Amino acid sequence: MIALPVALLAVVALVMAFADQGPASVLRHLYLVPTLWAALARGAVGGGLVGALAGLLHAPVALPAVERDGLTSQTLDGLLSLGLPILAGLLVGRLVDGSRARAARLAAVLAIQRRLDGPETLEAKLAGVARELRVALRARRLALLVGADVHTALLASVPVGTLVDADSGAAFALATGQHVTSTDLTADPRVRANESVGPTPLRALAVPLVSGAGVIGVMAVEWTGELSRATRAAAEELALHMGLAVENARLTLRQHRFAEELAEKVSAATARLRELDQAKTEFLSVVSHELRTPLTALQGFSELLLRSALPADRAQRCLVYLHTEACTLGRIVGELLDLSRIEAGRPLELRPEPVDLAGLIERNLEIFAAEHREHRFRWSAPGSEVALRADPDALDRMVKNLLSNAVKYSPRGGHVSVSACSAEDQPGMIELAVEDDGVGIPADQLPRIFDKYVRVPHPETATARGLGLGLSLVKALAEAHGGRVEVESLPGKGSRFRLLLPEANRDF
Ligand code: ADP
């Protein structure tokens, strides 16, 4: 590329020789043309070289004239023409070099920006950026560290696998936020360089990456040979840009993650709402069914009693049925009323008083044993009297719910064990446990069973009647007493519900 300006220079020199017009000839300005051409094409080196050649070619014309005529305005002009091409070549060449370097830096900045805007992880982005930077800075090695300290920071290096240890200049720059420049890394007492690259000194620069949040990382660069001021300035300028760009990329990633989490939460909430909506629809149909069953029985038996004169023992049996179904209706209506109270956010009305827990359990066990002959009920009474203050009606409903579930969800019969005592693992609490060896509950369903309308499908209990409200009421009642309800269950093995209520001397 420099050959053409040199050829043009030769042509100008020939024209000057043939024209033979002396050192101040107007033609001498023609030397500037190839000089500027070379400067534009090859920068300061090209411009300086061709300018120097031009000066040399003009010397045989300019110098003899000085010797011959002394220092006249014409010979002085000729002398000036010796230096002018060199000066112009160097000056224009430097300007060209500077603007080329700026263009290269801008291209590197854009490439970095593009890399950091990509969809990959921050590690992958940093690896790409490290490659771009190494090419842009013509470095031997380059490492980017993003993070608060050298041990935990993300590291991207070219060549891949370069380690940055705690004694390095990069670690020092990261810890102190100061720039570290080393003109001979292997001899620098501040850092420990593991490697020597022979006689050529190893230059290194570690520049902190700074964002609005302070020092967020460091860029460490190594060069062999001379490290020009321009290269150093370029490295610092790129590091300045990197700090902001990395912070932006991190914010964008955080924003993406946040948006994803939000979308997940919204879709989970939507699914849950849909589930609840579905459950409510099912609930309405189950409620109507649950109400209709005892009502039909009530109508049937009462009609029978009204229309026909039944023998006393049959009439007595009808009355027992009527009573049982009326109790069922009462229980359902009670549950629905409690539910509407809970839904409306009104507190459950409790009238706490000292209760004989053992007596209450025993009465219920008698009723259940009489109604469910295929089940065996076991009762472990408390060793000593437990002091409990509770709303007897609420406590009765909790016990009935747990017992009725234990029976309902062990459809083939089995054992139902009930115990009451002071909770060993919960000082100040009284524990009432109901255990069955029924169908059990899958682990993933356990957290849901205390929610309203939730019923866990199981082929063996498909015909079991229920509204999916019992346990949510037990939970609400237990919490209203200052207690709680817990469950352990294994599918196919059975379940154990534990009702924990505070002892009488504790307030709720
Ligand atoms: P339900 O009226 O359906 O019995 P609950 O709120 O009392 O409503 O119980 C919710 C669900 O929890 C039941 O539908 C059942 O699937 C499960 N469940 C409750 N108790 C037991 C138990 N002892 N054994 C197995 N599953 C149970």
Side-chain angles (χ1 to χ4, degrees):
M1 198 56 192
I2 207 162
L4 289 175
V6 170
L8 183 60
L9 197 65
V11 172
V12 173
L14 281 175
V15 170
M16 285 281 291
F18 280 117
D20 195 17
Q21 289 188 0
S25 160
V26 205
L27 291 176
R28 73 190 190 282
H29 294 306
L30 282 178
Y31 281 126
L32 284 177
V33 178
T35 309
L36 294 181
W37 183 1
L40 288 173
R42 307 294 297 178
V45 174
L49 199 73
V50 175
L53 270 176
L56 283 176
L57 286 173
H58 192 53
V61 180
L63 295 179
V66 176
E67 223 174 59
R68 196 177 53 237
D69 306 335
L71 280 179
T72 66
S73 63
Q74 272 206 349
T75 52
L76 266 179
D77 203 10
L79 276 180
L80 272 180
S81 303
L82 278 183
L84 192 66
I86 308 176
L87 213 67
L90 282 175
L91 208 70
V92 173
R94 278 190 72 128
L95 286 176
V96 167
D97 284 346
S99 65
R100 280 216 184 110
R102 259 196 300 282
R105 284 208 292 274
L106 192 66
V109 164
L110 288 176
I112 289 168
Q113 196 59 56
R114 260 197 303 276
R115 290 266 179 198
L116 288 173
D117 281 347
E120 310 103 322
T121 58
L122 191 56
E123 285 100 316
K125 288 179 186 186
L126 286 177
V129 169
R131 282 195 296 275
E132 299 281 355
L133 283 170
R134 187 203 184 197
V135 174
L137 294 171
R138 297 203 180 102
R140 176 178 169 264
R141 296 202 297 182
L142 188 140
L144 285 173
L145 277 169
V146 173
D149 82 282
V150 73
H151 300 295
T152 53
L154 280 183
L155 169 67
S157 64
V158 209
V160 177
T162 304
L163 290 179
V164 177
D165 56 39
D167 301 324
S168 63
F172 181 79
L174 187 60
T176 60
Q178 289 174 18
H179 291 218
V180 177
T181 313
S182 182
T183 46
D184 189 353
L185 197 61
T186 38
D188 195 325
R190 290 172 301 171
V191 296
R192 187 164 61 84
N194 296 325
E195 199 187 343
S196 157
V197 284
T200 327
L202 202 57
R203 325 277 182 189
L205 186 63
V207 195
L209 305 178
V210 183
S211 78
V215 177
I216 57 160
V218 73
M219 177 176 89
V221 200
E222 275 178 27
W223 291 269
T224 33
E226 219 36 62
L227 168 58
S228 71
R229 200 184 289 169
T231 311
R232 202 184 138 163
E236 283 175 357
E237 191 182 316
L238 287 171
L240 196 71
H241 176 79
M242 274 292 298
L244 298 173
V246 166
E247 186 61 7
N248 269 351
R250 289 212 296 198
L251 284 177
T252 314
L253 281 176
R254 219 172 290 155
Q255 223 168 14
H256 277 312
R257 221 173 300 135
F258 182 66
E260 272 168 21
E261 274 171 23
L262 202 67
E264 262 169 39
K265 279 188 188 149
V266 168
S267 86
T270 315
R272 181 89 189 103
L273 279 179
R274 217 172 286 135
E275 225 174 68
L276 276 179
D277 200 42
Q278 168 94 11
K280 271 203 171 174
T281 315
E282 273 169 29
F283 169 73
L284 279 181
S285 85
V286 174
V287 163
S288 344
H289 176 76
E290 291 284 299
L291 288 175
R292 203 179 313 118
T293 315
L295 260 182
T296 314
L298 282 177
Q299 277 168 351
F301 287 121
S302 54
E303 260 177 39
L304 195 66
L305 283 174
L306 283 174
R307 292 226 185 109
S308 17
L310 294 177
D313 61 329
R314 275 197 68 195
Q316 175 66 24
R317 269 213 304 281
C318 278
L319 283 171
V320 171
Y321 288 137
L322 279 176
H323 178 74
T324 316
E325 295 303 332
C327 286
T328 309
L329 261 185
R331 186 181 49 77
I332 296 173
V333 172
E335 280 186 2
L336 290 175
L337 281 177
D338 281 344
L339 174 75
S340 76
R341 208 171 281 142
I342 294 168
E343 296 248 284
R346 276 182 283 141
L348 292 163
E349 281 170 20
L350 299 179
R351 288 191 195 81
E353 57 183 71
V355 249
D356 168 16
L357 180 61
L360 186 143
I361 294 172
E362 280 159 17
R363 274 194 304 282
N364 274 297
L365 282 177
E366 253 172 56
I367 302 171
F368 273 82
E371 284 177 4
H372 305 280
R373 303 233 165 246
E374 65 284 18
H375 290 86
R376 292 278 159 271
F377 293 86
R378 278 192 214 133
W379 164 227
S380 312
S384 54
E385 198 180 320
V386 290
L388 184 65
R389 255 176 80 78
D391 179 311
D393 184 45
L395 187 62
D396 189 61
R397 276 157 59 205
M398 288 191 270
V399 171
K400 279 198 167 68
N401 252 308
L402 294 180
L403 282 174
S404 114
N405 279 351
V407 169
K408 244 193 318 188
Y409 300 111
S410 23
R412 298 192 204 154
H415 295 101
V416 176
S417 309
V418 185
S419 63
C421 56
S422 293
E424 270 175 23
D425 55 340
Q426 309 276 324
M429 297 295 245
I430 286 168
E431 155 187 319
L432 188 163
V434 177
E435 192 170 344
D436 62 64
D437 46 16
V439 293
I441 304 163
D444 61 328
Q445 298 292 334
L446 280 179
R448 299 176 65 232
I449 58 168
F450 295 101
D451 290 348
K452 289 185 287 267
Y453 318 124
V454 171
R455 306 201 69 212
V456 184
H458 191 283
E460 284 187 44
T461 58
T463 55
R465 285 162 64 181
L467 300 174
L469 285 180
L471 286 179
S472 72
L473 284 176
V474 172
K475 180 172 178 258
L477 288 170
E479 283 170 3
H481 279 84
R484 63 177 183 283
V485 58
E486 294 173 352
V487 61
E488 288 167 8
S489 189
L490 277 178
K493 295 263 181 245
S495 313
R496 182 169 192 267
F497 284 84
R498 204 156 84 115
L499 182 63
L500 290 153
L501 297 173
E503 271 176 32
N505 51 6
R506 291 188 53 199
D507 294 333
F508 60 85

